[in-house]
Amino acid sequence: SLDTAGAKVDIGATAQPAIMGTTLEPLTPHPAYLIDERGGISVQMLHSGMEIVNCAGSPLDPDAPLFWLSGEFIRYGNCVDLGGGVYHFSRLLRGCYGDDETVAPHPAGARFVLLEPGSTRLIEERTFASGDLVEAEAFGLGDSQPVTASAYMRALTITPPAPVHGEIWTTPDGGVAARWIRRSRIDNGWNDGIDQIMAEEAEIYRLRLFADNNPIGEWVASVPNFVLTGDELSFVSATPKPVLTAEVVLIGRF
């Protein structure tokens, strides 16, 4: 059952049994935009019937497997069966489907779930709104009381990630130019090696310009670059020249 805004909804039976376990050592923080090449993490499965296929590869592969660890989604490249229901995972891509912040540490004993289509119960996203607290309760066979869990809806999968590789410079006529590279909120693998798909209805950016932290103006652009001539700026002849800062966001369909 799901409880949203005080209304409890029965969503039926769960999917097939999942492969679950707990970690045997801590997993330290790591930037989400770099592969974690450190020691990895070992996981003790709940029982001997939970088996995972050994593999050696890259977490950037389109079919790289994925697991959930106490709120963080992680893709892995390598998996080794250590025996006794213990598996070691390495070459980790941290913070998948999340924001750009450095992902949090996980203590020993953190909950682990391997995510597979057959064992994943998807819930219609229109059931929730951003900021909602969603509570779930589940009755196992023979249970007299439900197990409960809750999560805040952060809308990360529908929020466009921030553009990257931003640059800003002054032009010979005293104007300002800026450029950047967009990112997609849908990761279907880097198939053509050129560009990711545009997951929004249109490519639209909102750019704000600041001089010495004071706002100058706000513009909308349909391409990943922007130019203002010296005639369009009021501080061209100012001494000393102000420090310029540009802020760019990709406007999403939501």
Side-chain angles (χ1 to χ4, degrees):
S1 302
L2 289 180
D3 189 328
T4 58
K8 187 172 293 185
V9 179
D10 184 353
I11 61 171
T14 59
Q16 300 173 17
I19 294 176
M20 299 182 291
T22 55
T23 57
L24 297 178
E25 64 267 335
L27 184 62
T28 55
H30 195 272
Y33 45 83
L34 296 173
I35 296 177
D36 190 344
E37 298 279 11
R38 293 176 293 188
I41 193 77
S42 296
V43 179
Q44 174 69 63
M45 299 303 156
L46 292 183
H47 58 73
S48 58
M50 296 182 174
E51 298 181 348
I52 302 178
V53 177
N54 287 353
C55 65
S58 169
L60 299 177
D61 292 338
D63 58 349
L66 179 75
F67 63 79
W68 177 92
L69 187 66
S70 290
E72 180 186 351
F73 293 99
I74 302 175
R75 291 194 182 275
Y76 65 89
N78 301 342
C79 175
V80 179
D81 184 353
L82 301 180
V86 177
Y87 291 83
H88 185 77
F89 302 90
S90 59
R91 299 211 74 204
L92 307 178
L93 187 61
R94 308 285 301 276
C96 299
Y97 310 112
D99 52 31
D100 294 331
E101 299 174 5
T102 298
V103 291
H106 298 286
R111 294 177 296 166
F112 167 100
V113 181
L114 183 69
L115 295 183
E116 302 173 291
S119 63
T120 303
R121 174 64 190 269
L122 297 177
I123 302 170
E124 171 59 52
E125 69 270 17
R126 293 179 180 86
T127 306
F128 319 112
S130 177
D132 282 355
L133 175 64
V134 179
E135 298 181 321
E137 64 177 32
F139 277 94
L141 295 177
D143 285 349
S144 59
Q145 296 293 326
V147 174
T148 61
S150 63
Y152 279 100
M153 297 297 103
R154 299 178 61 193
L156 293 177
T157 58
I158 63 173
T159 303
V164 292
H165 300 298
E167 297 180 272
I168 183 173
W169 65 94
T170 55
T171 59
D173 69 343
V176 173
R179 64 186 176 195
W180 54 89
I181 296 176
R182 70 167 178 83
R183 290 188 293 165
S184 174
R185 61 185 170 82
I186 297 179
D187 181 9
N188 64 336
W190 199 13
N191 298 321
D192 59 8
I194 299 174
D195 204 358
Q196 282 280 39
I197 63 172
M198 171 57 68
E200 317 305 329
E201 294 175 347
E203 185 172 6
I204 305 175
Y205 304 94
R206 182 171 63 247
L207 180 140
R208 294 199 297 167
L209 193 63
F210 301 84
D212 290 337
N213 295 323
N214 297 311
I216 296 174
E218 181 176 310
W219 298 266
V220 173
S222 59
V223 292
N225 55 73
F226 183 78
V227 177
L228 282 178
T229 66
D231 294 337
E232 297 174 285
L233 298 175
S234 60
F235 55 79
V236 174
S237 59
T239 303
K241 296 291 186 183
V243 176
L244 300 180
T245 305
E247 177 187 275
V248 184
V249 297
L250 175 62
I251 301 174
R253 69 171 65 185
F254 299 101

